[in-house]
């Protein structure tokens, strides 16, 4: 089923006209209300009147996550505070999170987009949808929540964690649709097996909506086989709106981008050159009708390929291939963004450890485990087990405070970690795709 036939199957020509109108509106809005971006335009002698066709998009300067940080918390908003009705923030990459705001129009648009996503995934008003995304500043949970409500599905806002209870409710309520990160979905299956729950007999799951972190096709197969449901992918990020930017249809040949609200491009990360459709590059999006937080050429750092060939489902919107990685080194651990530099600065602030460290990421029980090895500096600690233990505890707490997740911290003897003598040092060893 198609939620908004008029928009989702719009002929490309009409869609392009709508996009141009939205682009001009957005550029004018930003010029008038977002000083930092106006300054970027002025610096290259660009004015809103120079944007007359969609081809002019490439003249506009990029926005990056740094722009959000520099304008923390509200300076990139294009509306006065009284027009905001919701504020979210992303999990926080450095010290300060990325803050995003919504007007009533923005929230309504987001909800409509989510209604599309869940509908194209196959959810209907008959479904009972259990939301395992953590409710809070994170956009994911609220996006799916309101989208489900809009189509008339019954949303169960269980939030994250509490796996045994999740399973109990899933059985008792007869949950049919599951919202989770892909790795949590696998863990649910494993825990069910441990508890002796025969999923085919006792659960009624039939469709899963997974996203917020990268996951492979192999993972999809595994989820489908263990949870006995159809696993669908959907994508988004808080800077743009949250989830709702793109999602899979019943053809499973990429995620349709809500092109009537977001203009996609792929660029060469190094040069910033716009790539042809079909070429792999960094995704860049421009919002077309967002009021509170218009974004122009926002560089996502996510790597994908655009595909505008016709889709058998009838939707005309361009599709994007599953995200294959990120241009930077950001690690997503159980859906939380972690930068190696955060770990480094946290460790280096503790006297008695470092500066040599190593980050290992592996998967245990289908969940990501972050292990940090760091050298302690005082050799005499080798004979003082209590002190060593205290130091480990201090470092672990500090990492938890900075990252918001538990880290498996191991203090290792001085001079045991590898030193790099040439070129860049490799500190991150991501072993999540190694066989378990
Ligand atoms: P958070 O909501 O985790 O604080 P952000 O909005 O900062 O999130 O996270 C958005 C990022 O999450 C995207 O840029 C992308 O890297 C990743 N992401 C979201 N959904 C998917 C998906 N379906 N596949 C791959 N990566 C995804
Ligand atoms: Zn389709």
């Amino acid at each position: 089923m198609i939620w908004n036939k008029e928009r989702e199957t719009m002929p490309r020509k009409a869609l392009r006209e709508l996009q141009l109108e939205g682009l001009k509106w957005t550029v004018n809005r930003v010029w008038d209300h977002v000083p930092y971006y106006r300054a970027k335009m002025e610096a290259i002698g660009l004015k809103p009147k120079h944007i007359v066709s969609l081809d002019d998009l490439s003249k506009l300067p990029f926005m990056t996550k740094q722009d959000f940080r520099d304008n923390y918390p509200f300076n990139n908003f294009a509306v006065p505070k009284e027009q905001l009705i919701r504020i979210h923030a992303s999990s926080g990459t450095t010290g300060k999170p990325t803050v995003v705001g919504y007007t009533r129009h923005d929230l309504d648009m987001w909800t409509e987009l989510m209604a599309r996503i869940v509908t194209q995934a196959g959810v209907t008003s008959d479904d009972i949808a259990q939301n395992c995304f953590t409710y809070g500043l994170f956009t994911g949970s609220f996006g799916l929540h309101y989208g489900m409500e809009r189509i008339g599905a019954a949303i169960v806002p269980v939030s994250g964690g509490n796996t045994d209870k999740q399973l109990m409710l899933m059985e008792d309520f007869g949950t049919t649709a599951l919202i989770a990160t892909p790795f949590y979905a696998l863990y649910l299956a494993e825990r069910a097996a441990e508890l002796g729950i025969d999923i085919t007999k006792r659960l009624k799951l039939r469709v899963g909506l997974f996203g917020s972190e990268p996951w492979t096709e192999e993972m999809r197969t595994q989820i489908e086989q263990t949870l006995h449901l159809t696993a669908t992918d959907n994508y988004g990020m808080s800077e743009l709106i949250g989830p709702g930017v793109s999602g899979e249809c019943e053809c499973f040949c990429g995620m349709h981008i809500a092109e009537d609200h977001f203009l996609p491009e792929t660029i060469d990360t190094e040069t910033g050159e716009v790539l042809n459709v079909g070429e792999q590059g960094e995704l860049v999006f421009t919002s077309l009708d967002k009021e509170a937080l218009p974004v122009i050429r926002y560089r996502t750092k996510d790597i994908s390929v655009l595909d505008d060939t016709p889709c058998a489902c009838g939707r005309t919107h361009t599709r994007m291939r599953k995200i294959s990685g990120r241009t930077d080194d950001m690690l997503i651990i159980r859906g939380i963004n972690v930068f190696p530099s955060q770990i480094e600065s946290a460790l280096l602030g503790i006297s008695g450890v470092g500066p040599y460290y190593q980050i290992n990421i592996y998967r245990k029980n289908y969940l990501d485990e972050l292990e940090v090895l760091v050298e302690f500096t005082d050799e005499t600690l080798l004979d003082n087990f209590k002190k060593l233990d205290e130091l480990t505890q201090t470092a672990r707490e500090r990492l938890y405070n900075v990252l918001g997740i538990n880290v498996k911290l191991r203090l290792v003897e001085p001079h045991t970690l590898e030193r790099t003598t040439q070129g860049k040092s490799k500190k991150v060893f991501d072993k999540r795709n190694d066989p378990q």
Side-chain angles (χ1 to χ4, degrees):
M1 202 195 128
I2 297 180
W3 176 254
N4 185 336
K5 214 160 186 163
E6 189 192 326
R7 281 300 187 93
E8 293 177 74
T9 64
M10 205 172 199
R12 299 277 323 161
K13 189 167 172 291
L15 186 59
R16 288 182 71 79
E17 281 162 17
L18 185 77
Q19 288 175 329
L20 179 58
E21 199 184 308
L23 177 63
K24 286 181 180 169
W25 179 85
T26 299
V27 171
N28 272 296
R29 189 171 184 82
V30 166
W31 177 268
D32 290 340
H33 301 292
V34 186
Y36 93 87
Y37 195 82
R38 180 184 176 133
K40 279 193 192 208
M41 286 176 69
E42 281 174 339
I44 55 167
L46 193 67
K47 294 206 166 95
K49 67 174 184 200
H50 297 136
I51 306 301
V52 293
S53 81
L54 287 179
D55 291 339
D56 295 326
L57 178 65
S58 60
K59 293 180 181 160
L60 288 157
F62 291 116
M63 279 186 186
T64 66
K65 209 165 183 103
Q66 190 59 41
D67 291 321
F68 281 78
R69 290 189 196 128
D70 293 346
N71 290 287
Y72 177 87
F74 298 156
N75 283 348
N76 47 357
F77 290 178
V79 292
K81 278 190 204 117
E82 67 264 24
Q83 286 183 34
L84 295 173
I85 63 163
R86 179 90 67 77
I87 293 166
H88 277 285
S90 88
S91 28
T93 49
T94 55
K96 303 274 191 191
T98 303
V99 179
V100 297
Y102 303 78
T103 63
R104 192 168 299 283
H105 159 275
D106 296 337
L107 274 194
D108 191 59
M109 184 268 272
W110 186 21
T111 301
E112 277 295 301
L113 294 190
M114 288 313 305
R116 288 184 195 177
I117 300 278
V118 302
T119 302
Q120 71 193 34
V123 179
T124 72
S125 58
D126 285 345
D127 282 296
I128 294 182
Q130 192 158 324
N131 196 350
C132 309
F133 277 156
T134 304
Y135 281 70
L137 287 173
F138 174 52
T139 54
S141 41
F142 283 86
L144 270 304
H145 182 106
Y146 286 104
M148 288 290 182
E149 271 191 8
R150 181 138 313 176
I151 71 154
I155 182 85
V156 188
V158 192
S159 197
N162 274 326
T163 306
D164 290 3
K165 190 174 170 194
Q166 297 269 11
L167 288 164
M168 180 190 80
L169 297 179
M170 220 171 265
E171 179 174 10
D172 295 348
F173 292 2
T175 300
T176 49
L178 176 67
I179 300 158
T181 63
F183 295 106
Y184 191 64
L186 272 188
Y187 183 63
L188 278 168
E190 189 175 73
R191 187 67 192 141
E194 280 170 13
L195 295 172
I197 299 171
D198 181 341
I199 291 175
T200 51
K201 294 209 175 79
R202 288 170 54 184
L203 301 187
K204 294 200 175 108
L205 293 175
R206 57 173 207 88
V207 58
L209 290 111
F210 304 119
S212 109
E213 63 187 359
W215 54 305
T216 58
E217 285 298 334
E218 292 76 21
M219 172 69 69
R220 190 206 300 271
T221 308
Q222 215 169 344
I223 294 174
E224 292 192 329
Q225 284 172 353
T226 52
L227 274 183
H228 301 279
L229 47 65
T230 302
T232 67
D233 194 4
N234 69 87
Y235 164 87
M237 84 278 316
S238 40
E239 292 84 350
L240 234 64
I241 195 83
V245 175
S246 66
E248 283 179 321
C249 66
E250 61 272 26
C251 301
F252 293 98
C253 54
M255 294 181 269
H256 286 284
I257 297 166
E259 265 197 291
D260 50 337
H261 299 278
F262 302 108
L263 204 49
E265 299 171 273
T266 33
I267 61 159
D268 179 319
T269 297
E270 299 299 317
T271 65
E273 286 297 308
V274 179
L275 301 173
N276 293 319
V277 167
E279 289 181 317
Q280 177 169 291
E282 179 181 347
L283 284 169
V284 171
F285 290 102
T286 299
S287 70
L288 299 172
D289 64 344
K290 273 179 77 186
E291 290 181 345
L293 182 52
V295 287
I296 295 180
R297 305 194 80 203
Y298 180 69
R299 291 185 63 156
T300 63
K301 300 196 171 179
D302 293 320
I303 298 163
S304 182
V305 180
L306 297 177
D307 178 359
D308 62 4
T309 58
C311 186
C313 74
R315 291 177 183 82
T316 52
H317 295 187
T318 296
R319 305 187 297 285
M320 53 179 264
R321 202 185 281 167
K322 236 175 183 320
I323 301 294
S324 55
R326 289 184 54 89
T327 61
D328 60 9
D329 54 0
M330 187 176 89
L331 305 164
I332 301 182
I333 311 290
R334 303 186 191 190
I336 305 282
N337 299 347
V338 175
F339 275 87
S341 55
Q342 286 177 283
I343 297 176
E344 183 170 285
S345 57
L347 288 176
L348 266 51
I350 305 162
S351 70
V353 304
Y356 293 100
Y357 68 92
Q358 181 180 315
I359 299 166
N360 297 322
I361 308 119
Y362 50 86
R363 199 157 281 147
K364 201 174 159 197
N365 295 333
Y366 303 110
L367 285 176
D368 296 337
E369 285 278 352
L370 179 64
E371 178 185 60
V372 176
L373 273 55
V374 63
E375 291 181 4
F376 58 88
T377 48
D378 181 2
E379 301 227 35
T380 63
L381 284 188
L382 270 174
D383 301 316
N384 192 336
F385 188 77
K386 188 166 171 280
K387 267 206 145 148
L388 201 57
D389 205 38
E390 281 170 5
L391 188 58
T392 309
Q393 203 52 38
T394 307
R396 190 177 292 136
E397 272 168 23
R398 186 162 179 120
L399 282 174
Y400 181 80
N401 287 339
V402 173
L403 307 175
I405 54 171
N406 279 314
V407 171
K408 204 170 162 221
L409 185 84
R410 279 211 286 140
L411 255 52
V412 297
E413 286 180 43
H415 313 292
T416 46
L417 296 176
E418 200 189 338
R419 266 68 169 153
T420 309
T421 54
Q422 278 184 47
K424 286 178 195 282
S425 65
K426 186 169 163 56
K427 297 199 177 70
V428 181
F429 298 86
D430 196 337
K431 300 167 184 169
R432 281 179 287 191
N433 290 324
D434 292 359
Q436 294 209 21

